[in-house]
Amino acid sequence: MTTTAPAEQSVGKTPSGAAHPHPRRRPGRIRRIGLPYLLLLPALLLELLVHLVPMVIGAVMSFKELTQFYIRDWGTAPWSGLDNYKVSVDFDAPVGEALLHSFLVTVAFTLLSVGLCWLIGTAAAVFMQDTFRGRGLLRALFLVPYALPVYAAVITWVFMFQHDNGLVNHVLHDQLHLTDKPSFWLIGDNSFWALLTVSVWKGWPFAFLIVMAGLQNIPGELYEAAALDGAGLWQQIRRITLPSLRPVNQVLLLVLFLWTFNDFNTPYVLFGKSAPEAADLISVHIYQASFVTWNFGTGSAMSVLLLLFLLVVTGVYLLLTSRGRKPADV
Amino acid sequence: MRRTRAAAAGAVTASLLTLVTACGGGSSTSDGSNDSPKTLTYWASNQGASIEVDKKVLQPELDKFEKQTGIKVKLEVVPWSDLLNRILTATTSGQGPDVLNIGNTWSASLQATGALLPWDAKNFAAIGGKDRFVDSALGSTGAQGQDPAAVPLYSMAYALYYNKQIFADAGISKPPATWDELVADGKKIQAEGKSALGAEGANLSENIHHVFVFAKQHGGEFFTSDGKPDFTNDKVVAAVKQYVDLMAKDKVIPTGDAEYAQNQSVSDFAKGNQAMLLWQSASANLKSQGMSEDKYGIAPVPVQSGTPGTGTQVNSAVMGINLAVFKNTDNIDGAKKFVKFMTGDAEQKILNTAYSSIPPVRTVQADTTFSSGANKVLKDTLATSAAALPQVADESQFETAVGTAVKDLFADAAAGRAITTESVKAALEKAQQQMPTK
């Protein structure tokens, strides 16, 4: 990557000064321009292999009548055109109706979970801004749910939510007498709240971590000046903290939304392959359509629809949040 | 790129499935060869109390096979929860074991994939002939009119396990033979402060096995004779309602059992908290949980009236494990030798004793080892009053759809909602609509 002279001085000349049919510096320039692409190549190849190729194959499958009869050699499955899509979006028929129900449950679950994660995470991060004895220990404790393996953590919740011997009923019913009789959390309508509880427990430490990092970048002078001007805590949060955290929150909320909307591990470990209707999240619903009832074509169509929905939501979100953003925020 | 990556994560199924197919390329169409004659890979289902127990049972037998044939068998014990997906993945990718255990109720569904070696007359001849196996076991090896997709390995049947002490305390002298008697006995047991009957309300397979038997006892079938789902006929609806009513109306199954799916009802029975358990070949499981055989009795599962038998007196599904060979094995001759070995008289006696199951091989089943106590009840059930689950390609979907319907009905019963003929019919209607239409 070294050049000894301006390019125009040597173009078209051989070392002896004789005319040359090709520019002398060209190979070096190609190397210089090509090197970044060369360095990117492994990542691009992996991206292609791990994400794009399966996605394209998944899209192809969604146009096929792919059941157990063809799974051994799925290429031979007959084309079904848009049938799988029509079945998935026919909300008056059982498959579409169930998919719509699952979608609505997922939307409600995601909004509540993301909102609560953000709220608790932000409150905890603001609280932890002040120095006090034991702050380090508390901060480490806050991060425990985020650090635990998902499977182990959710299985522990399964034990706690059990009807007869679970800790949740023991506390709510036996100790606090808040319920007339022990409740069911892993079946029936309450399963939604059980799922939400685990999701928020698991998700808020990430919000806490990110918001805390964002808070570090807010100059202390701003708060000092505000305090001198007589601004109280709430005014400081509203006028300084939240506006300063805006870029961080934009990314945080998007990531939390995508993770929560697609969360498969939590409902699957909590309820198994057949979730209660009230907690039938779309990721498990699609898994069931594909891998339990062996309707791989329909499952692929549902996946493509989900992908399109997430792309649209993400696109609109980024468009809205980037409006009026300063270049420095990008 | 972030958007693309994040959105890609959303396509859960597409990514999972297509990753598998991208790797395998759906290239499993080749039939077997003898390219690797010295090794075999064997996926055993988890039959014992744990995977370690299974390894201890199976490894000495596999060593024996190696000594006899020079073929080394690589064993992997696969938990039940993973087995079907593992088989499916292996089918798609072509990268599976040579020999594997399958649940016998999956036979027709897996047969439809075309991945398993059909057991025609020639293949059966290589393992000693089809006539070696009892008819009830052969009834769960694939769709009618086609060569079996697998060979029976272990047979099982449901029985009624009852706690002798709890029965004595409640003044009950013999186990119930009919459902009315069971409910009446249950009331006496509950009066003594014990739980009457256990169930796994959230376990889809358990639900299916029980409602299948109740349907048989009502003279109903879940499928028409040409294989179409018929879940909402009056007899099936009455059957499902009767089973769920054991919790909703008769109240002999505790409401807490509605969320059981991990064999908790077996633990409740083993701990002496519950008087009765409807289970298949539970002896080894109870022993592993510290319940000695003298503490419980074993009786046939109740029927509507009279004693178990054929027709409406059926009281169990034909349960069990089959042994299948992947069609694209690289050691087709070795695989057949292994099936012959595992279904041979000596191994059948050892393995079925270890797993407290019944040998599906006629000669071994006649052995006196399997003619007393639990074995006698299970053997008689298999011989006289057990029926095979529907051998249709959509059996796997049926288990999920109807099993989930029953799970939801149990959840309603546990929540105190009324279980009516209409609500049962609506749940089954929904299940039927979820079945493939092609």
Side-chain angles (χ1 to χ4, degrees):
Chain A
M1 293 300 288
T2 54
T3 50
T4 52
E8 60 270 19
Q9 285 181 8
S10 55
V11 168
K13 301 255 186 180
T14 61
S16 59
H20 194 281
H22 301 295
R24 221 184 119 211
R25 291 276 177 217
R26 203 153 180 88
R29 191 194 271 159
I30 289 170
R31 266 205 305 276
R32 195 176 60 227
I33 297 167
L35 188 63
Y37 292 101
L38 198 68
L39 294 173
L40 276 174
L41 198 60
L44 286 172
L45 280 175
L46 277 174
E47 186 68 24
L48 193 73
L49 198 70
V50 174
H51 282 144
L52 294 179
V53 169
M55 280 170 68
V56 170
I57 296 174
V60 172
M61 283 177 170
S62 71
F63 295 104
K64 291 199 155 215
E65 184 195 316
L66 191 53
T67 59
Q68 69 262 42
F69 296 100
Y70 303 101
I71 193 64
R72 187 170 171 234
D73 192 2
W74 64 270
T76 61
W79 290 98
S80 60
L82 291 172
D83 282 359
N84 290 323
Y85 289 92
K86 285 179 188 161
V87 166
S88 301
V89 298
D90 182 359
F91 302 134
D92 292 327
V95 175
E97 189 188 352
L99 183 67
L100 179 64
H101 169 82
S102 174
F103 174 77
L104 294 175
V105 167
T106 311
V107 169
F109 165 76
T110 305
L111 292 177
L112 280 170
S113 178
V114 171
L116 288 169
C117 283
W118 179 83
L119 205 64
I120 297 170
T122 303
V126 170
F127 171 69
M128 295 294 279
Q129 280 298 94
D130 290 333
T131 47
F132 54 87
R133 183 182 282 219
R135 186 173 76 146
L137 180 70
L138 202 58
R139 192 158 50 189
L141 282 176
F142 280 1
L143 293 175
V144 166
Y146 184 59
L148 281 176
V150 176
Y151 188 88
V154 180
I155 276 287
T156 310
W157 276 103
V158 171
F159 290 132
M160 294 203 295
F161 276 127
Q162 291 203 342
H163 178 264
D164 291 335
N165 310 311
L167 183 70
V168 175
N169 275 344
H170 181 62
V171 172
L172 294 180
H173 178 68
D174 302 340
Q175 294 186 326
L176 299 177
H177 307 293
L178 291 174
T179 53
D180 296 338
K181 54 182 182 179
S183 309
F184 284 96
W185 297 102
L186 299 174
I187 54 173
D189 296 342
N190 285 341
S191 54
F192 180 85
W193 304 109
L195 181 63
L196 185 66
T197 305
V198 181
S199 176
V200 172
W201 175 84
K202 200 163 62 72
W204 78 264
F206 178 73
F208 165 68
L209 199 67
I210 298 297
V211 173
M212 203 168 58
L215 288 174
Q216 312 287 330
N217 290 329
I218 304 175
E221 294 82 10
L222 287 178
Y223 291 103
E224 285 167 18
L228 283 174
D229 289 342
L233 179 67
W234 174 240
Q235 274 192 314
Q236 286 180 24
I237 290 174
R238 209 159 65 89
R239 304 279 184 189
I240 301 172
T241 311
L242 290 179
S244 304
L245 283 176
R246 195 175 159 223
V248 170
N249 277 334
Q250 282 172 356
V251 175
L252 172 66
L253 289 173
L254 179 64
V255 169
L256 277 179
F257 169 79
L258 291 171
W259 282 357
T260 312
F261 204 93
N262 291 320
D263 190 6
F264 178 81
N265 294 332
T266 313
Y268 189 79
V269 179
L270 214 49
F271 307 119
K273 63 184 178 183
S274 177
E277 214 168 306
D280 185 22
L281 292 195
I282 205 154
S283 55
V284 179
H285 188 86
I286 293 175
Y287 168 82
Q288 194 174 10
S290 305
F291 290 90
V292 181
T293 57
W294 298 7
N295 251 328
F296 303 101
T298 313
S300 298
M302 290 175 178
S303 292
V304 172
L305 289 172
L306 178 65
L307 178 68
L308 292 175
F309 169 76
L310 290 175
L311 279 173
V312 169
V313 169
T314 309
V316 169
Y317 179 84
L318 290 176
L319 208 66
L320 289 175
T321 53
S322 63
R323 193 177 287 171
R325 188 191 284 176
K326 291 173 190 168
D329 289 342
V330 177
Chain B
M1 191 55 76
R2 170 176 290 153
R3 267 179 294 173
T4 309
R5 202 164 56 214
V12 177
T13 306
S15 294
L16 279 172
L17 181 61
T18 51
L19 204 61
V20 166
T21 49
C23 296
S27 58
S28 58
T29 48
S30 68
D31 284 347
S33 71
N34 283 307
D35 293 344
S36 301
K38 288 291 165 196
T39 57
L40 281 173
T41 304
Y42 173 41
W43 283 0
S45 53
N46 179 201
Q47 296 298 127
S50 69
I51 286 173
E52 286 311 309
V53 168
D54 278 320
K55 284 180 182 170
K56 276 184 189 159
V57 169
L58 292 169
Q59 197 54 55
E61 310 314 309
L62 305 184
D63 294 342
K64 209 186 291 176
F65 176 71
E66 185 178 2
K67 210 170 171 185
Q68 284 178 15
T69 61
I71 299 171
K72 182 166 181 58
V73 181
K74 286 185 272 183
L75 170 71
E76 186 180 353
V77 181
V78 185
W80 271 107
S81 51
D82 296 343
L83 187 58
L84 196 55
N85 271 355
R86 291 283 300 274
I87 296 172
L88 207 58
T89 309
T91 303
T92 315
S93 66
Q95 308 297 316
D98 302 289
V99 187
L100 72 161
N101 285 6
I102 62 172
N104 67 351
T105 62
W106 305 338
S107 296
S109 291
L110 292 173
Q111 182 180 40
T113 67
L116 303 181
L117 181 77
W119 287 87
D120 54 16
K122 186 177 146 221
N123 287 333
F124 258 121
I127 62 165
K130 196 175 184 176
D131 293 341
R132 293 188 71 239
F133 301 92
V134 297
D135 292 338
S136 64
L138 284 172
S140 298
T141 52
Q144 280 184 347
Q146 293 184 39
D147 289 324
V151 174
L153 182 64
Y154 316 126
S155 288
M156 297 173 199
Y158 277 88
L160 177 75
Y161 293 77
Y162 61 96
N163 185 308
K164 290 178 182 172
Q165 188 62 50
I166 297 178
F167 265 53
D169 292 346
I172 305 166
S173 58
K174 64 181 177 61
T178 68
W179 292 110
D180 287 344
E181 286 175 21
L182 184 140
V183 172
D185 288 347
K187 302 288 180 199
K188 291 180 197 168
I189 290 161
Q190 284 167 330
E192 295 294 314
K194 292 282 184 183
S195 166
L197 176 66
E200 299 278 320
N203 183 323
L204 310 191
S205 299
E206 281 293 313
N207 286 341
I208 279 297
H209 300 160
H210 291 302
V211 296
F212 166 73
V213 168
F214 273 99
K216 284 281 180 187
Q217 292 185 358
H218 281 262
E221 299 284 350
F222 279 93
F223 288 85
T224 59
S225 54
D226 57 349
K228 291 198 171 67
D230 185 19
F231 302 164
T232 54
N233 71 69
D234 291 347
K235 290 171 179 169
V236 163
V237 171
V240 172
K241 184 171 185 301
Q242 188 187 1
Y243 181 51
V244 179
D245 268 348
L246 288 173
M247 177 186 287
K249 192 177 105 200
D250 305 321
K251 303 194 187 301
V252 288
I253 297 175
T255 52
D257 288 22
E259 68 175 18
Y260 279 9
Q262 307 291 333
N263 302 351
Q264 294 99 320
S265 62
V266 183
S267 298
D268 287 348
F269 183 77
K271 285 176 195 157
N273 299 329
Q274 172 190 299
M276 291 179 278
L277 175 69
L278 296 168
W279 209 256
Q280 42 173 319
S281 306
S283 301
N285 197 339
L286 295 172
K287 192 177 175 185
S288 72
Q289 297 195 47
M291 191 179 201
S292 59
E293 280 189 31
D294 59 322
K295 295 275 192 298
Y296 60 88
I298 296 145
V301 173
V303 288
Q304 300 296 336
S305 64
T307 54
T310 52
T312 54
Q313 301 301 79
V314 161
N315 67 341
S316 176
V318 176
M319 304 313 304
I321 305 299
N322 292 344
L323 200 53
V325 172
F326 256 114
K327 208 190 254 179
N328 67 348
T329 172
D330 289 332
N331 188 0
I332 185 93
D333 289 346
K336 287 185 208 169
K337 279 181 193 167
F338 183 64
V339 175
K340 186 180 182 183
F341 173 80
M342 294 289 276
T343 55
D345 287 6
E347 295 313 306
Q348 278 288 293
K349 193 171 171 181
I350 294 168
L351 294 171
N352 282 286
T353 303
Y355 291 133
S356 65
S357 51
I358 302 295
V361 173
R362 287 178 197 278
T363 47
V364 191
Q365 199 174 94
D367 192 289
T368 51
T369 312
F370 302 100
S371 300
S372 61
N375 286 332
K376 182 174 178 353
V377 174
L378 300 177
K379 203 166 83 171
D380 290 349
T381 299
L382 283 168
T384 60
S385 57
L389 278 152
Q391 293 293 302
V392 293
D394 297 332
E395 203 281 337
S396 180
Q397 292 94 322
F398 157 67
E399 282 197 23
T400 306
V402 176
T404 301
V406 178
K407 174 184 169 178
D408 291 343
L409 287 167
F410 268 127
D412 285 346
R417 293 197 191 102
I419 302 299
T420 62
T421 301
E422 288 71 34
S423 68
V424 173
K425 193 165 187 170
L428 290 170
E429 174 82 42
K430 191 178 153 199
Q432 179 158 320
Q433 287 173 338
Q434 288 165 350
M435 292 293 286
T437 51
K438 289 171 185 169

